[in-house]
Amino acid sequence: MIKAILIFNNHGKPRLSKFYQRYSEDIQQQIIRETFHLVSKRDENVCNFLEGGLLIGGSDNKLIYRHYATLYFVFCVDSSESELGILDLIQVFVETLDKCFENVCELDLIFHVDKAGLAGAPARAVSAVKNMNLPEIPRNINIGDISIKVPNLPSFK
Amino acid sequence: MKECMVRLIYCEMLGYESSFGYIHAIKLAQQGNLLEKRVGYLAVSLFLHENHELLLLLVNTVVKDLQSTNLVEVCMALTVVSQIFPREMIPAVLPLIEDKLQHSKEIIRRKAVQALYKFYLIAPNQVQHIHDKFRKALCDRDVGVMAASLHIYLQMIKENSSGYKDLTESFVTILKQVVGGKLPIDFNYHSVPAPWLQIQLLRILGLLGKDDPRTSELMYDVLDESLRRAEINHNITYAILFECVQTIYTIHPKPDLLEKAAKCIGKFVLSPKINLKYLGLKALTYVIQQDPNLALQHQMTIIECLDHPDPIIKRETLELLYRITNGQNVTVIVQKMLDYLKQSKEEYTIINLVSKIAELAEKYAPANEWFIQTMNAVFSIGGDVMHPDIPNNFLRLLAEGFDDEKEDEQLRLYAVQSYLGLLEEEDAVYPQKFLQVMSWVLGEYSYIINDEGDPEVIMTRLCKLLKKTFVTSETKAWIMAAITKIASLNRGSKTVDKLIQEFSTSLDTCMRQYAFELKHLCEDKDLMKNLLPRDASCNDMVVDASLSFLDGFVAEGLSRGAAPYKPHHQRQEEKLSQEKALNFEPYGLSLSSSMSSSGFTGRQSPTGLSFGSDVSGNSTEMGQKEMSSLKLDGVKKLWGKDGYLPKKESKTGKEDKLEAVPPGSTLGGNMVDHPLSEADQEVVSPSEEEKEKQQLASTLFVGLASNNAVSLMGKADTTTQKFKRKSKISETQNSEEAPSIQYDATLSFRPLPEAQSNDNENIQSTEHVRLRKSSLSSSEVLEASVSFKRPQSLTEAGLDAKLPDCRLSPSSLFADNNIEVFQPSQVIPSVVASKASLIPSLSEELANNPHSEAVELCSCDTLAVNLCKVWTDDCLLLVLFVANRSSSALKNVNLVFENSEHFKIVEGLSYHFPVIKAQSLESCQKSVQMEKNCMQEILVGSLNYQLEMETGLEFSVTLSLTDFIRWLIFHLIQMANEH
């Protein structure tokens, strides 16, 4: 089961996070910090799996991450998930983002957080069902686009 | 409103307080049009969590939307249900969702299944009755629905694989279809058909086929197929391959599949891609117990991985090595682990690795020196984060030793020497746990090196430690205990005098306490010798938890007019009631209330705690009442009220020590890289020659090469421990120690089994006991030398803390009541009984008739049917015994005989058992008469029962003519007996 999806940049600033268990704000921050420390000190040419962050789920959990340009995509999962499977799921997630934004970059996530979140929601649905139906995802997002438009106010930028 | 809600989501996301708007989100979901509803639901699912109270308000909306004819509304409701839903409201929506399983739209069906999955996760018993609907979902024509149902099955099979064996074939078929590319093209990912689905199916198959040759049989083909198909060089195919391999090694093995899987693992391990290497190592670790030869094939790769720059790979390799450790390669492997340990900084890794090293060292240690050195390293690195069992086990090992006395002696000697050496270094900082271990060992065993070493030196070193700032008070207590022990072995020492002087005025009350104890012990050497015998750490102390030796004292105190003790809560209660009494009814009530409250305590007195029976029974009725409350804890009372007793002092002492014992305080001790004097010749530096690597490989795999399966198995069960723990014999030590001890004879009882059990708690408790002994008896000493009195104020908390002590030695409590406790033996008869209950036996009146032996007619995993023929005067009686072998009760078991033209069953053809309890036996009787004559005929019957599904068993009984001619049989039997 996927416990959390964290996206943060090279400096550990969270860009998108979704926890599938309830944690208080402080703990969430702490988890992100700890994860960032674990992930950021690893070289480029090492494996994408990590074990034993103590915060989420104890010893059973694994961190599976990918590093794209300035962003780290980290999935916290428990032992019932296949490592490589999740690794590809991240790939799918990023591909989806890419389709949404046409050449996605960190700024997209900052300024179109609503879209990213919506893209994340189907990805989670995918992870839950793993009904890999790639063409379906962007379609879902289009529905999302119709229903919610972030108010284009200067105060939000 | 919609816009506002979107902004609110934004605020919430940025971490601002927006709880004021939650209710509006719910309202929006309730009232708005479709678009607003959607936003409302989205906001709700983002804002609220499972246990949020506002969620209850949503239930009604969800129910309404579920009944809606609008597809989108139903979808939204189902989505929110599968995200967050209060557990207690499940029954409200369950029937609606069940209906949705038959919905014509597949997306609704899929979402319904997902919602049910969610329900299964949070409340599995609520969805039990719809298991067959899950089956339908599994066979759904839409792949999405089927895939969603797999989640439920994975979860259920994980919990109970035996119940779903019959589904194996369906899973195999599904996997075949998926692998064969029968799914719509949409499901392909990088031209691999539905990889995540495959992974999940493989996991399910692995769970189903575990240790079950018959089920495994079914899946060999499809596994082979998947292995073959997954040839494309892509990440996701490797994921499938990995799952395949894991499944193949989990299920009942088949040689040629294993071979292929082994090849796959080889591919993984040798792959230049680091992720695959990691997985390969993981697979190897998994496989190694079944097939150590595989590790041999890849030994060079493993050696390379040991020096891999990635610490994760390194750790995985160590995990692998840990599994193949045996007596011959232990030194090398432990060395490697220690090296890694020294570099690693993560707490999690340290805890994990330290316990592994300690385990290996204990199990396979080749030599004493090595063992001590290794443990030193473990203690100094693992320090304060390690599991408290490790130092405890280590000390126990030292104390109890092996079977060989001489070896023990050597081990201890070496330990003492090495610790002295370590303490010599001036500026070294050791973790607290390590210091505690050191001081204990020095205290117990320093006499061994007395010939060469001066106890003064040892004491000076320990004293120096006491003055260091980084030593916590807990550790100081350990050190003081050690000094006391050493001092007892030697006549007057300047160091001790100095120490006493110094700490008698210490600000730390604990330390002052110890100093005084030590002082008084020093004044009375004989007592000290008795109190702290040499090498007695293994002797069990008998602790009189009820403190009955104080009964006399209590009685005396009472006779002098002291008030009986009342526990704290009671005193408060009384205070309260008195206040009340003052306020309302000054006199009458106060008396009655105090009476009632004293009666109350008498009633609730903990059963084991009543003592001082000699006091009660010889006074007036009122007095008796008082006595009864006194009985409960008369001792405490004296301390509680007056606090003039010297015993109090012992009490605090005891508590301090107790405090000192519980491990796990993680006060900041810095970690020290403790220099290992042992030359590590075999460490491979990256630059070293291939040749040396090979040498290392040979040392690492030395045990494996001989295919030493035994040593591998030894890993799993700890029977092959090198250090065998001596079973302890509890010794009753009684009153010789000090004149004033008044142990009841009945009290000095400690059942052997308890002392023997290897339970950690017991280890700890014996340690407690040991420590307590010293303080306890010291109190007695003080009592003996009445000259010493120290008024001290009493804390209630201290008294309450006594209760846990009592729990630690339950045996003495029981003994107090003259109840003999035989703990372990009781288990055996009950086991026998449960077995016996499944063996059919006739009731007495039937057994008096001639009867045949009980014969098993048919049986399956859950049921067995036995038949016994009883020939009564007028008919043939068939007694059928139905035994339930399973661990759950069977309901509605029906036994039906088929109609036969030859026989007539008098009571009707069928028999119904409403319930057969787990592991029990039911019987039914049928009397059979012959209708048509025949020599021999078969009577056929069947047994139906309901477990997860209807199951039937068939059986047949052969009845011959002779069965019906009773007297003939009777005669035959008699004749047979005569012969």
Side-chain angles (χ1 to χ4, degrees):
Chain A
M1 199 176 306
I2 296 176
K3 300 277 177 69
I5 299 174
L6 313 172
I7 302 176
F8 42 77
N9 70 2
N10 288 349
H11 307 291
K13 221 167 181 41
R15 289 299 175 215
L16 193 68
S17 68
K18 176 71 192 168
F19 290 85
Y20 296 110
Q21 268 168 325
R22 186 77 186 173
Y23 291 105
S24 73
E25 193 70 35
D26 293 344
I27 307 245
Q28 289 189 9
Q29 296 286 345
Q30 208 182 330
I31 290 173
I32 294 177
R33 256 201 311 279
E34 189 189 304
T35 316
F36 172 68
H37 279 299
L38 282 175
V39 169
S40 63
K41 49 175 199 232
R42 294 175 60 76
D43 302 333
E44 279 300 308
N45 58 341
V46 293
C47 69
N48 297 76
F49 316 122
L50 268 172
E51 270 164 60
L54 284 173
L55 271 173
I56 308 180
S59 57
D60 191 36
N61 77 336
K62 294 176 281 198
L63 298 177
I64 294 156
Y65 73 95
R66 259 176 191 254
H67 191 191
Y68 290 96
T70 56
L71 288 176
Y72 282 101
F73 289 75
V74 185
F75 276 50
C76 283
V77 299
D78 65 8
S79 61
S80 69
E81 296 287 345
S82 146
E83 287 97 340
L84 284 177
I86 295 292
L87 207 57
D88 269 46
L89 199 68
I90 301 180
Q91 177 73 35
V92 172
F93 183 37
V94 176
E95 277 173 27
T96 316
L97 286 177
D98 206 44
K99 265 182 202 159
C100 297
F101 295 114
E102 281 151 28
N103 210 353
V104 65
C105 68
E106 194 185 339
L107 286 178
D108 288 330
L109 288 194
I110 301 171
F111 294 120
H112 301 282
V113 117
D114 55 320
K115 268 193 185 176
L118 283 172
R124 184 200 34 194
V126 166
S127 72
V129 186
K130 287 191 211 122
N131 166 6
M132 250 330 292
N133 209 337
L134 260 186
E136 197 180 67
I137 298 170
R139 201 166 67 222
N140 279 357
I141 290 164
N142 288 339
I143 298 171
D145 275 347
I146 299 162
S147 63
I148 302 177
K149 284 189 191 115
V150 165
N152 212 359
L153 294 173
S155 61
F156 282 101
K157 292 202 171 168
Chain B
M1 192 67 197
K2 193 188 76 188
E3 293 290 299
C4 290
M5 202 43 69
V6 173
R7 279 159 216 231
L8 201 64
I9 295 176
Y10 204 74
C11 292
E12 168 87 9
M13 195 185 64
L14 292 175
Y16 295 108
E17 172 70 33
S18 58
S19 52
F20 61 89
Y22 292 176
I23 186 73
H24 298 289
I26 290 175
K27 272 189 197 157
L28 197 64
Q30 212 156 20
Q31 296 156 350
N33 61 26
L34 214 55
L35 210 57
E36 286 173 337
K37 221 181 202 5
R38 196 184 151 93
V39 177
Y41 271 127
L42 180 69
V44 165
S45 69
L46 287 173
F47 290 155
L48 305 185
H49 59 91
E50 207 102 281
N51 304 317
H52 203 284
E53 49 194 0
L54 286 179
L55 213 52
L56 289 176
L57 297 176
L58 194 71
V59 175
N60 212 8
T61 322
V62 168
V63 171
K64 211 177 74 201
D65 283 340
L66 279 178
Q67 287 161 333
S68 155
T69 49
N70 188 333
L71 216 65
V72 184
E73 276 180 5
V74 179
C75 261
M76 288 191 293
L78 282 173
T79 311
V80 87
V81 163
S82 58
Q83 276 169 351
I84 39 166
F85 203 73
R87 184 195 317 202
E88 56 275 15
M89 295 312 286
I90 290 176
V93 292
L94 195 54
L96 288 170
I97 292 177
E98 270 179 70
D99 287 343
K100 294 287 174 285
L101 285 175
Q102 267 103 41
H103 203 275
S104 57
K105 270 276 185 243
E106 61 271 12
I107 185 156
I108 303 277
R109 288 204 301 272
R110 200 182 74 202
K111 281 184 188 285
V113 172
Q114 273 171 295
L116 289 176
Y117 173 54
K118 172 78 179 178
F119 290 167
Y120 182 79
L121 285 182
I122 58 178
N125 46 345
Q126 303 232 31
V127 288
Q128 237 152 20
H129 60 286
I130 35 182
H131 278 196
D132 43 329
K133 289 196 178 152
F134 292 155
R135 272 163 207 262
K136 223 182 244 166
L138 186 66
C139 309
D140 200 282
R141 58 184 183 283
D142 182 70
V143 188
V145 185
M146 182 271 294
S149 72
L150 283 185
H151 286 273
I152 303 180
Y153 275 108
L154 184 60
Q155 197 66 31
M156 291 198 294
I157 289 171
K158 219 183 254 170
E159 276 152 30
N160 167 28
S161 66
S162 61
Y164 303 94
K165 298 273 185 204
D166 54 312
L167 281 174
T168 315
E169 228 161 314
S170 326
F171 291 126
V172 169
T173 328
I174 295 171
L175 185 56
K176 248 181 209 152
Q177 285 173 356
V178 175
V179 174
K182 300 264 167 56
L183 296 189
I185 201 86
D186 296 355
F187 286 87
N188 284 10
Y189 171 76
H190 290 263
S191 71
V192 181
W196 287 280
L197 205 62
Q198 287 192 44
I199 291 172
Q200 198 154 29
L201 281 166
L202 285 169
R203 290 213 164 189
I204 291 178
L205 289 184
L207 287 171
L208 279 173
K210 199 174 184 190
D211 306 323
D212 186 348
R214 226 178 36 187
T215 324
S216 305
E217 198 80 31
L218 295 169
M219 44 186 102
Y220 290 145
D221 278 348
V222 74
L223 285 174
D224 196 29
E225 173 89 7
S226 331
L227 272 185
R228 219 155 32 77
R229 290 258 181 176
E231 298 265 284
I232 319 152
N233 202 359
H234 189 268
N235 219 349
I236 198 72
T237 54
Y238 287 119
I240 297 172
L241 269 186
F242 180 73
E243 288 305 320
C244 266
V245 168
Q246 218 166 16
T247 310
I248 288 170
Y249 273 98
T250 316
I251 63 174
H252 191 79
K254 185 188 178 199
D256 65 314
L257 266 186
L258 283 186
E259 204 179 296
K260 280 180 189 165
K263 233 184 258 168
C264 272
I265 293 182
K267 246 194 266 172
F268 275 113
V269 176
L270 295 174
S271 160
K273 284 186 191 163
I274 210 139
N275 286 338
L276 297 186
K277 209 180 231 0
Y278 170 83
L279 286 178
L281 285 172
K282 247 190 145 161
L284 263 188
T285 314
Y286 187 74
V287 161
I288 207 90
Q289 258 137 351
Q290 290 180 34
D291 188 6
N293 281 324
L294 204 57
L296 274 181
Q297 287 170 22
H298 298 295
Q299 45 177 305
M300 287 320 292
T301 325
I302 295 172
I303 302 294
E304 270 160 27
C305 288
L306 265 184
D307 299 317
H308 204 278
D310 186 352
I312 299 289
I313 297 263
K314 249 188 194 171
R315 200 169 70 196
E316 206 51 43
T317 318
L318 286 179
E319 175 79 37
L320 175 67
L321 290 180
Y322 166 72
R323 306 255 170 157
I324 59 168
T325 312
N326 56 32
Q328 288 150 297
N329 57 15
V330 65
T331 23
V332 195
I333 289 178
V334 169
Q335 188 54 51
K336 285 278 168 204
M337 286 179 159
L338 284 176
D339 289 345
Y340 181 78
L341 200 56
K342 279 176 201 157
Q343 292 161 9
S344 102
K345 295 277 181 300
E346 283 167 54
E347 191 173 302
Y348 171 79
T349 326
I350 293 175
I351 295 173
N352 200 335
L353 212 54
V354 150
S355 57
K356 273 180 190 152
I357 296 176
E359 192 196 325
L360 288 181
E362 201 173 296
K363 232 186 250 177
Y364 302 112
N368 289 333
E369 288 82 12
W370 182 86
F371 179 62
I372 296 290
Q373 292 283 6
T374 310
M375 288 314 277
N376 284 353
V378 165
F379 286 134
S380 53
I381 300 172
D384 294 322
V385 292
M386 70 178 147
H387 203 264
D389 279 356
I390 299 171
N392 284 350
N393 278 344
F394 175 68
L395 289 185
R396 216 164 75 100
L397 242 164
L398 275 184
E400 289 164 15
F402 330 101
D403 302 324
D404 183 6
E405 248 335 290
K406 224 169 137 194
E407 193 128 319
D408 289 357
E409 207 71 340
Q410 269 184 354
L411 182 69
R412 288 169 192 164
L413 176 67
Y414 193 80
V416 172
Q417 279 172 346
S418 78
Y419 293 154
L420 276 180
L422 288 177
L423 287 182
E424 212 164 349
E425 283 165 45
E426 279 295 322
D427 309 321
V429 179
Y430 299 108
Q432 304 298 319
K433 288 255 176 64
F434 194 23
L435 284 177
Q436 286 163 13
V437 169
M438 280 194 219
S439 53
W440 188 86
V441 171
L442 288 181
E444 284 290 328
Y445 299 114
S446 63
Y447 68 88
I448 299 178
I449 60 156
N450 263 5
D451 316 332
E452 42 212 276
D454 187 5
E456 284 290 302
V457 180
I458 303 174
M459 279 202 271
T460 337
R461 279 188 201 153
L462 287 173
C463 288
K464 252 186 216 152
L465 272 185
L466 279 181
K467 284 167 207 155
K468 294 226 167 106
T469 45
F470 64 85
V471 179
T472 62
S473 58
E474 185 192 336
T475 314
K476 276 185 185 160
W478 284 73
I479 297 173
M480 269 314 254
I483 292 177
T484 317
K485 279 181 217 156
I486 299 173
S488 76
L489 300 172
N490 304 286
R491 303 256 152 221
S493 129
K494 271 186 211 139
T495 329
V496 175
D497 293 342
K498 224 171 80 193
L499 190 83
I500 292 173
Q501 232 174 17
E502 196 169 322
F503 284 100
S504 303
T505 54
S506 162
L507 281 178
D508 187 348
T509 45
C510 271
M511 291 312 288
R512 214 150 73 192
Q513 164 92 44
Y514 287 121
F516 274 115
E517 269 179 35
L518 184 57
K519 189 171 158 201
H520 283 273
L521 283 175
C522 287
E523 278 164 13
D524 193 345
K525 280 285 169 190
D526 289 339
L527 193 71
M528 198 165 183
K529 280 253 154 66
N530 275 331
L531 186 62
L532 303 165
R534 235 180 218 208
D535 192 16
S537 60
C538 285
N539 302 342
D540 280 327
M541 288 299 161
V542 179
V543 174
D544 183 0
S546 62
L547 299 178
S548 59
F549 55 87
L550 293 174
D551 284 355
F553 192 80
V554 174
E556 202 184 315
L558 278 173
S559 68
R560 271 188 278 135
Y565 172 74
K566 286 176 189 127
H568 182 63
H569 63 91
Q570 190 192 344
R571 248 174 294 155
Q572 284 204 322
E573 215 170 82
E574 247 164 61
K575 221 184 193 171
L576 270 175
S577 69
Q578 263 165 18
E579 274 169 19
K580 233 187 212 168
L582 280 172
N583 284 342
F584 305 109
E585 287 169 71
Y587 294 107
L589 189 75
S590 93
L591 183 63
S592 69
S593 80
S594 75
M595 289 275 283
S596 70
S597 67
S598 78
F600 169 63
T601 35
R603 190 156 38 80
Q604 64 141 28
S605 72
T607 46
L609 267 178
S610 70
F611 43 77
S613 51
D614 51 331
V615 198
S616 63
N618 53 5
S619 38
T620 61
E621 200 183 294
M622 182 58 197
Q624 231 164 11
K625 197 149 204 176
E626 279 208 354
M627 286 310 166
S628 79
S629 75
L630 153 86
K631 247 204 253 174
L632 148 76
D633 19 29
V635 187
K636 290 196 211 160
K637 156 253 151 188
L638 276 178
W639 298 348
K641 280 263 144 120
D642 317 335
Y644 62 88
L645 304 170
K647 256 147 295 162
K648 149 72 237 297
E649 185 270 330
S650 83
K651 188 70 208 172
T652 40
K654 185 193 288 185
E655 270 146 29
D656 291 340
K657 294 209 174 175
L658 277 176
E659 222 169 77
V661 181
S665 85
T666 46
L667 282 159
N670 303 339
M671 266 169 279
V672 177
D673 270 14
H674 149 59
L676 267 181
S677 54
E678 213 170 74
D680 22 19
Q681 303 148 333
E682 274 139 329
V683 178
V684 185
S685 67
S687 61
E688 268 183 34
E689 297 290 312
E690 194 68 359
K691 209 172 158 192
E692 289 193 26
K693 279 195 178 177
Q694 249 150 27
Q695 196 187 342
L696 174 62
S698 66
T699 45
L700 276 176
F701 297 95
V702 61
L704 287 177
S706 55
N707 211 345
N708 195 346
V710 183
S711 67
L712 283 172
M713 294 328 285
K715 180 107 246 99
D717 49 358
T718 49
T719 46
T720 55
Q721 294 218 352
K722 188 188 176 220
F723 295 131
K724 284 202 185 94
R725 286 172 182 148
K726 270 188 198 165
S727 61
K728 280 193 279 170
I729 300 163
S730 70
E731 242 173 76
T732 46
Q733 289 202 339
N734 30 21
S735 46
E736 38 156 79
E737 284 187 337
S740 65
I741 308 182
Q742 302 170 354
Y743 280 116
D744 291 3
T746 49
L747 280 176
S748 38
F749 236 58
R750 225 184 131 75
L752 203 61
E754 190 198 313
Q756 272 178 337
S757 89
N758 273 351
D759 205 322
N760 280 331
E761 209 164 349
N762 275 326
I763 304 170
Q764 275 191 354
S765 84
T766 44
E767 250 183 55
H768 282 243
V769 167
R770 195 182 311 132
L771 284 168
R772 219 181 305 148
K773 156 230 173 180
S774 61
S775 58
L776 236 182
S777 30
S778 76
S779 80
E780 283 134 16
V781 175
L782 294 170
E783 204 180 336
S785 54
V786 195
S787 61
F788 177 66
K789 274 189 186 176
R790 179 155 12 119
Q792 252 175 338
S793 64
L794 238 201
T795 53
E796 296 295 335
L799 293 176
D800 292 345
K802 190 180 140 251
L803 286 171
D805 297 4
C806 304
R807 233 183 296 128
L808 278 175
S809 51
S811 55
S812 57
L813 288 181
F814 281 118
D816 206 15
N817 288 344
N818 289 330
I819 300 168
E820 301 236 57
V821 202
F822 299 106
Q823 287 147 332
S825 55
Q826 285 165 349
V827 187
I828 302 151
S830 71
V831 172
V832 174
S834 79
K835 277 202 181 145
S837 71
L838 287 182
I839 298 169
S841 61
L842 288 169
S843 63
E844 251 179 53
E845 67 241 57
L846 288 177
N848 286 335
N849 289 313
H851 59 84
S852 71
E853 290 294 324
V855 189
E856 193 175 272
L857 286 179
C858 62
S859 66
C860 67
D861 287 348
T862 42
L863 274 180
V865 181
N866 286 289
L867 173 84
C868 194
K869 291 175 188 170
V870 180
W871 297 281
T872 58
D873 288 330
D874 45 6
C875 64
L876 169 68
L877 209 57
L878 295 178
V879 183
L880 284 141
F881 297 96
V882 183
N884 181 0
R885 291 169 174 175
S886 70
S887 53
S888 54
L890 289 174
K891 282 181 185 160
N892 294 329
V893 181
N894 279 311
L895 204 152
V896 183
F897 283 99
E898 274 176 42
N899 213 348
S900 156
E901 52 172 327
H902 297 284
F903 304 112
K904 184 186 162 205
I905 294 173
V906 182
E907 294 94 334
L909 286 172
S910 65
Y911 189 84
H912 177 74
F913 300 96
V915 167
I916 303 181
K917 282 189 205 127
Q919 297 291 329
S920 72
L921 187 82
E922 294 281 352
S923 66
C924 84
Q925 298 173 15
K926 294 278 177 196
S927 37
V928 185
Q929 286 172 354
M930 195 176 254
E931 294 269 70
K932 268 190 197 168
N933 284 348
C934 63
M935 276 311 284
Q936 199 166 21
E937 199 56 61
I938 294 168
L939 186 62
V940 185
S942 65
L943 188 74
N944 291 308
Y945 62 93
Q946 201 124 32
L947 198 57
E948 266 92 21
M949 42 188 277
E950 192 89 20
T951 316
L953 278 178
E954 298 229 327
F955 60 84
S956 58
V957 189
T958 314
L959 298 174
S960 60
L961 186 61
T962 48
D963 280 327
F964 295 92
I965 313 172
R966 185 189 66 78
W967 58 269
L968 183 64
I969 299 294
F970 196 64
H971 270 262
L972 279 173
I973 290 171
Q974 272 193 337
M975 274 163 69
N977 284 345
E978 275 165 24
H979 285 290

